[in-house]
Amino acid sequence: MNYMMTTIFDSKKNYFFFLLFFQVLVFFYIFGPFNFGPTTYRNLINNYDGPSYYNFSFDNLKIVLSQHRTFGFPLFMKLYRMIDNDLFFWPHINFLIYISAINLLYFSLLRFNFNKIFIFLLCFGLVLSFSLYQYLNQYTEVISISFLLASISL
C-alpha cells in the first residue's frame, strides 16, 4: 500500500491522474441522462440469464447444490439487493468494479517496472473496451472481465 501511495504522487513518472481523469469522463458519458433509461435496469430481472441469478434459492444446502448455477455470484447479488432491490445502480457498481480492476492492473504493472507509457496505453485501451459498453447493464460479463484483470494483477 505504501508503494501505491508513493507511486500515485510521484509526478515525474506517473500517468495515473490522466487515467483517472479519463475514467471519470467515461463514467459521466456512460451514465449521462440520455444513455440508460429505467427500463434498462428492470430488463435485467427478466431477460438474458437474469432470472436464474435473481431468483436463486438459498433455502437449504441441498437446494443450493442442486441448482445449475454456482452460488458465488447469486450470493453477491443477494447482498447487493439488500441495498438496491430494483437494480437501478447495478451498471454503476459494474463500472466501479471494472475500473478498480484496471487500476489494480496499472499499479501491479508499475510495480514490476513496465514502461509507464505502455501501462497507460494498455489501461486506456481497457477503459475504451467494447465489452464495457456492450455488457455493462448485464449481470456477469463485466464482473468476470474484472475478476480476470484482478487475477492477472495479483
Side-chain angles (χ1 to χ4, degrees):
M1 190 65 164
N2 189 21
Y3 174 78
M4 190 180 292
M5 294 308 289
T6 57
T7 306
I8 288 174
F9 295 110
D10 186 5
S11 62
K12 295 178 187 172
K13 60 179 182 177
N14 198 336
Y15 296 98
F16 180 71
F17 286 116
F18 293 116
L19 183 65
L20 193 62
F21 177 72
F22 183 71
Q23 290 169 347
V24 169
L25 288 178
V26 168
F27 179 83
F28 286 117
Y29 172 73
I30 290 175
F31 299 112
F34 303 110
N35 291 334
F36 280 98
T39 57
T40 304
Y41 308 110
R42 290 186 179 79
N43 285 339
L44 285 172
I45 299 168
N46 301 320
N47 295 334
Y48 310 112
D49 55 353
S52 62
Y53 290 113
Y54 197 77
N55 300 321
F56 193 89
S57 176
F58 288 99
D59 292 339
N60 63 33
L61 186 60
K62 184 178 180 181
I63 293 174
V64 169
L65 295 177
S66 66
Q67 297 183 47
H68 72 284
R69 296 264 179 226
T70 57
F71 65 90
F73 188 72
L75 180 63
F76 179 70
M77 284 298 301
K78 188 171 184 85
L79 294 173
Y80 174 78
R81 284 179 41 212
M82 291 169 58
I83 299 168
D84 179 23
N85 195 33
D86 63 355
L87 301 176
F88 186 76
F89 292 105
W90 179 252
H92 301 78
I93 298 297
N94 266 345
F95 183 80
L96 293 175
I97 291 172
Y98 182 72
I99 292 302
S100 299
I102 290 174
N103 291 340
L104 181 65
L105 179 67
Y106 179 88
F107 287 113
S108 295
L109 293 176
L110 201 61
R111 186 169 204 169
F112 288 108
N113 296 324
F114 278 77
N115 185 339
K116 280 85 177 160
I117 296 173
F118 168 75
I119 298 171
F120 174 75
L121 292 175
L122 175 71
C123 292
F124 187 77
L126 287 171
V127 173
L128 294 177
S129 171
F130 175 73
S131 59
L132 173 65
Y133 304 105
Q134 182 67 27
Y135 300 113
L136 192 61
N137 62 342
Q138 295 182 14
Y139 279 113
T140 59
E141 283 77 4
V142 176
I143 297 289
S144 62
I145 294 169
S146 302
F147 181 73
L148 177 69
L149 289 173
S151 299
I152 292 170
S153 301
L154 300 176

